[in-house]
Amino acid sequence: SPLDCPFQAMEREVSAAFGKGEPGEILSSAFKLKVTREDICTLQHPCWLNDEVINFYMNLLVERSKKEGYPALHVFSTFFYPKLCSGGYKAVRRWTRGVDLFKQDLILVPIHLRVHWTLLVIDVRKKTIRYFDSLGQKGDNICKTLLQYLQEESREKRNLELSVSEWTLRSVSPQEIPQQTNGSDCGVFVCKFADSISRDKPITFTQEHMPYFRRKMVWEIIHQQLL
């Protein structure tokens, strides 16, 4: 039936992307980023997603947020947090040239902890900093580091002291968000947490959706368009 066609076409394209070919072949480029066949293949189960895939997907979320009815969104690259940790505010001061963080609704920070991806979410409207971890670990210190960053950014860019007491920091508990049941899907969880949050929608997916999400993300990255 015609209804099957889009899905079958998508499956064919995903299989082709995972198929034989030059690892360095560029399958998608936008946002000053390039995604190669080798990068795309990290979306095959049970691989860990790499920086390129996560950064590209996050940029697709930012593009979508420019449409009417979506929260204003800023996403930091996966390289932001390690740079902030190693070099302090000075090392990342110029990362927000031309961006007023305090005019955004949401700021997302994907975080790579050696062998695990997590997501930090700053809601400027509600003055909250929340840490999302699909393995249920706490990230209270990461929240504090980002609050400190916001304080310095506020001083530096708008000459204003952030009233820290108005801000709420917390690690979201494993009871509130879906948890992964394997050691490989954390990157997909981070991308899909970000997808729901950037639409102000509740997080309703589970581990069971991961194989489909992986294939869907291949299509979305190649077509530079969210389904």
Side-chain angles (χ1 to χ4, degrees), residues 99-140:
V99 179
D100 184 346
L101 284 187
F102 301 97
K103 285 209 168 81
Q104 309 301 313
D105 294 322
L106 292 164
I107 302 161
L108 304 183
V109 189
I111 291 176
H112 197 207
L113 304 168
R114 290 190 305 284
V115 294
H116 183 49
W117 287 107
T118 63
L119 182 68
L120 186 121
V121 178
I122 300 168
D123 191 322
V124 182
R125 304 161 297 187
K126 297 176 179 163
K127 296 192 168 66
T128 60
I129 300 179
R130 289 174 300 160
Y131 182 74
F132 289 76
D133 188 331
S134 54
L135 285 178
Q137 298 160 352
K138 282 195 179 313
D140 298 351

Side-chain angles (χ1 to χ4, degrees), residues 157-183:
K157 301 287 167 73
R158 48 178 201 170
N159 217 354
L160 256 182
E161 278 300 320
L162 202 68
S163 21
V164 175
S165 59
E166 293 175 5
W167 284 76
T168 311
L169 280 54
R170 72 185 190 97
S171 298
V172 180
S173 77
Q175 287 73 40
E176 296 170 81
I177 51 171
Q179 299 288 292
Q180 66 189 96
T181 55
N182 61 22

Side-chain angles (χ1 to χ4, degrees), residues 51-133:
D51 293 279
E52 283 68 29
V53 164
I54 289 190
N55 287 327
F56 202 95
Y57 186 81
M58 292 287 170
N59 271 284
L60 290 176
L61 298 180
V62 170
E63 281 304 301
R64 179 178 67 189
S65 74
K66 293 172 184 172
K67 293 186 196 154
E68 184 110 21
Y70 286 89
L73 178 67
H74 181 76
V75 174
F76 279 110
S77 142
T78 56
F79 304 112
F80 171 79
Y81 181 71
K83 193 88 179 155
L84 174 64
C85 290
S86 64
Y89 179 74
K90 277 197 296 294
V92 294
R93 189 170 66 89
R94 295 180 40 215
W95 284 51
T96 48
R97 259 208 320 249
V99 179
D100 184 346
L101 284 187
F102 301 97
K103 285 209 168 81
Q104 309 301 313
D105 294 322
L106 292 164
I107 302 161
L108 304 183
V109 189
I111 291 176
H112 197 207
L113 304 168
R114 290 190 305 284
V115 294
H116 183 49
W117 287 107
T118 63
L119 182 68
L120 186 121
V121 178
I122 300 168
D123 191 322
V124 182
R125 304 161 297 187
K126 297 176 179 163
K127 296 192 168 66
T128 60
I129 300 179
R130 289 174 300 160
Y131 182 74
F132 289 76
D133 188 331

Side-chain angles (χ1 to χ4, degrees), residues 28 35 40 43 53 56 60 217-224:
S28 197
V35 177
I40 282 283
L43 281 160
V53 164
F56 202 95
L60 290 176
M217 283 174 70
V218 173
W219 192 96
E220 290 172 325
I221 288 170
I222 290 173
H223 288 270
Q224 299 169 15

Side-chain angles (χ1 to χ4, degrees), residues 69-71 193 195-204:
Y70 286 89
F193 286 154
D195 173 32
S196 297
I197 290 161
S198 64
R199 290 179 291 148
D200 279 335
K201 289 283 184 269
I203 294 165
T204 54

